[in-house]
Amino acid sequence: MRTLLIVGNWKMNKTASEAATFIGELSQHLPKAPLTGVELVVAPPFTALESVGRVLGSESLIQLGAQNLFWEEHGAYTGEVSASMLKDLGCRYVILGHSERRTIFGEQNDGIRKKILAALTQGIRPILCIGESLAQRESGATDTVLTQQLQETLSGLSPDFVATIAIAYEPIWAIGTGKAATIDQAVAAHRTIRQFLTSAWSSTVADTTRILYGGSVTPQNIESLLASDQIDGALIGGACLQVDSFATIARLTSTTRSIGV
Ligand code: PGA
């Protein structure tokens, strides 16, 4: 059984001190005991990783994630941050290939692939984002786009590596728009992703790999999304920035589907 994964992508929000205060409040709003069958991750900006990690401590139910990394280990790469730097701060996850990185910062699949390998080498689990634009969906190209993104970022990786990656299906038109994909649209995309994993690796890899949905997830729609056993959690932007809504999503996730850890 796949453990559900709920990831808060803070994007470029909260200073280091605001982040520390937020995490203190969030911890108060979450149950003290682990949430059954759910992993929780927060991904603050680089500048807040240290303060958030300090407030979380080593016993926390919430794990630390980053929003990006660079594939080289060290050297003359002004402005970049490596996987080992993130690992040293306690990061367990890293979001890679988010559509904002692709569209605003020009990231391409071959670079994202190098980032995935750098993360895996350091034992950091990548959360690989893929998704189609509205024009691509309307022209019927969704499956082709998703398959190509998967092929160019993952092919050739060992099955063990692939199974530790979480894939986030994030239709670009659903991000920050308040228009989440319908359950049918999300489930169809998740099936396409699983089919790719089966044909490129095996049904075991497809059954083990977690596939999250992202794009306008809220406390109002999380339960219906998770009603499908194709959806193994969510990558959340806007709704993770308020303590109440993130804590509610976390609680609803643990009650909606109690699956083995
Ligand atoms: P959103 O963002 O929840 O605000 O739509 C999701 C994301 O970009 O990961």
Side-chain angles (χ1 to χ4, degrees):
M1 284 296 203
R2 298 182 291 267
T3 305
L4 298 176
L5 180 60
I6 296 293
V7 183
N9 173 13
W10 293 13
K11 307 192 180 184
M12 197 174 71
N13 291 292
K14 300 190 193 299
T15 63
S17 41
E18 287 165 354
T21 306
F22 178 90
I23 291 295
E25 286 171 18
L26 182 62
S27 307
Q28 306 275 312
H29 279 67
L30 290 172
K32 298 286 164 270
L35 295 166
T36 318
V38 184
E39 269 186 85
L40 288 182
V41 175
V42 290
F46 288 138
T47 47
L49 285 171
E50 216 232 326
S51 67
V52 168
R54 205 170 345 99
V55 179
L56 290 176
S58 55
E59 302 296 304
S60 174
L61 304 180
I62 306 169
Q63 302 180 76
L64 196 58
Q67 299 174 21
N68 188 23
L69 55 71
F70 186 57
W71 58 77
E72 294 291 348
E73 259 313 293
H74 50 79
Y77 305 103
T78 303
E80 295 297 323
V81 170
S82 74
S84 60
M85 293 170 181
L86 297 179
K87 188 177 181 194
D88 188 56
L89 287 174
C91 285
R92 309 282 299 278
Y93 284 88
V94 61
I95 299 168
L96 293 174
H98 191 281
S99 66
E100 287 151 16
R101 303 265 356 139
R102 292 175 189 260
T103 54
I104 305 170
F105 302 100
E107 290 203 9
Q108 307 278 337
N109 288 330
D110 60 339
I112 295 164
R113 178 188 172 79
K114 291 188 204 163
K115 293 181 176 198
I116 290 172
L117 285 168
L120 289 168
T121 304
Q122 289 296 329
I124 299 175
R125 291 175 158 224
I127 300 163
L128 166 66
C129 301
I130 59 171
E132 81 288 0
S133 67
L134 188 57
Q136 289 166 331
R137 172 161 285 273
E138 286 176 346
S139 67
T142 300
D143 286 356
T144 314
V145 169
L146 297 180
T147 304
Q148 188 178 351
Q149 287 174 334
L150 291 169
Q151 209 143 29
E152 292 181 3
T153 52
L154 296 182
S155 59
L157 259 62
S158 79
D160 289 351
F161 268 180
V162 177
T164 64
I165 294 172
I167 297 168
Y169 167 59
E170 294 209 310
I172 298 168
W173 46 271
I175 296 176
T177 59
K179 283 192 196 156
T182 64
I183 311 301
D184 287 352
Q185 288 170 327
V187 168
H190 284 218
R191 283 197 209 286
T192 300
I193 295 166
R194 261 187 235 290
Q195 258 158 28
F196 173 82
L197 296 174
T198 306
S199 60
W201 288 276
S202 65
S203 55
T204 312
V205 169
D207 287 344
T208 317
T209 305
R210 289 179 291 184
I211 307 177
L212 319 182
Y213 168 77
S216 296
V217 175
T218 63
Q220 287 71 43
N221 61 19
I222 187 72
E223 287 173 291
S224 51
L225 286 163
L226 294 177
S228 165
D229 64 5
Q230 283 294 317
I231 300 178
D232 305 317
L235 180 54
I236 298 157
C240 78
L241 295 173
Q242 274 81 44
V243 167
D244 269 359
S245 56
F246 191 61
T248 304
I249 289 172
R251 266 199 311 273
L252 290 173
T253 301
S254 76
T255 51
T256 302
R257 281 225 322 267
S258 261
I259 57 173
V261 184

